[in-house]
Amino acid sequence: MPGSEEAAAAATAAKRDRIFLVVVDDSAERAVALRYACLRARKGGGRVALLRVIEPVGLVEWAGVGVMMQEERREEAEKMLSGLAAEVNEITGGFPILIIREGEPRDELLKLLEEDPRISILVLAMAPGTGGPGPLITALTGRYASRLTVPMTLVPGTLDEKELDRIT
């Protein structure tokens, strides 16, 4: 059938180009979201992207101190992402896209989703317990839901590796 090879190649390329975005914060459930995204990328094709948002330094008396504090925060973010990149590579066989932004996490995430059409799925894990799913998920499923430009996968933060392997 004419064109079927091109269609198959396009479908394969689309799968390979899928990017699963994980927000790298300091929560315990981040590890669950990361593993889920890695397993989905490995089993279904695609790549993982890691977004770390660092908060801007507030007003400081001396500008040099502010610059130094911001450089330290960026170095910490780079170190954290580097360690997670090794984990992603181990699971998926490929290195993730690493993104560091400065600002409010929710706002920077929404801007990134608007700016980068390669991102096809946002993966977040919900905080375990009765305190609610977490501030980012609460914002993205509430007031800011209309600004999401990609599907969002919410993973229970209580899942262990065996359960994640089973569902992906």
Side-chain angles (χ1 to χ4, degrees):
M1 186 169 213
S4 62
E5 282 183 29
E6 290 86 4
T12 300
K15 272 189 173 182
R16 189 176 55 246
D17 290 343
R18 280 192 311 181
I19 293 179
F20 297 85
L21 177 64
V22 177
V23 176
V24 176
D25 58 15
D26 297 324
S27 68
E29 61 271 12
R30 174 204 71 211
V32 176
L34 180 63
R35 181 150 182 90
Y36 179 86
C38 288
L39 292 172
R40 285 287 316 274
R42 182 180 79 195
K43 293 178 180 179
R47 288 183 73 187
V48 173
L50 304 176
L51 169 64
R52 176 71 174 181
V53 180
I54 52 178
E55 292 188 30
V57 174
L59 290 175
V60 290
E61 200 165 311
W62 294 301
V65 173
V67 170
M68 200 165 73
M69 289 171 63
Q70 198 58 28
E71 286 175 1
E72 286 175 5
R73 288 182 181 177
R74 185 163 192 88
E75 286 173 15
E76 287 172 14
E78 288 171 357
K79 187 175 182 180
M80 175 185 263
L81 289 181
S82 178
L84 293 174
E87 186 179 330
V88 170
N89 185 39
E90 186 177 309
I91 297 169
T92 66
F95 285 100
I97 299 165
L98 305 178
I99 306 160
I100 298 174
R101 296 238 177 156
E102 183 181 322
E104 156 64 37
R106 177 199 64 232
D107 296 339
E108 292 305 316
L109 169 63
L110 290 170
K111 278 194 255 179
L112 176 62
L113 293 174
E114 290 170 6
E115 295 166 6
D116 193 339
R118 301 173 304 160
I119 298 170
S120 48
I121 299 172
L122 171 61
V123 179
L124 299 172
M126 297 178 287
T130 58
L136 187 57
I137 293 173
T138 300
L140 295 176
T141 57
R143 184 175 178 190
Y144 296 89
S146 64
R147 292 192 50 201
L148 276 178
T149 56
V150 300
M152 178 171 54
T153 299
L154 299 178
V155 183
T158 56
L159 296 180
D160 62 24
E161 286 188 23
K162 190 175 183 181
E163 293 167 319
L164 286 169
D165 286 340
R166 182 181 60 78
I167 64 170
T168 53

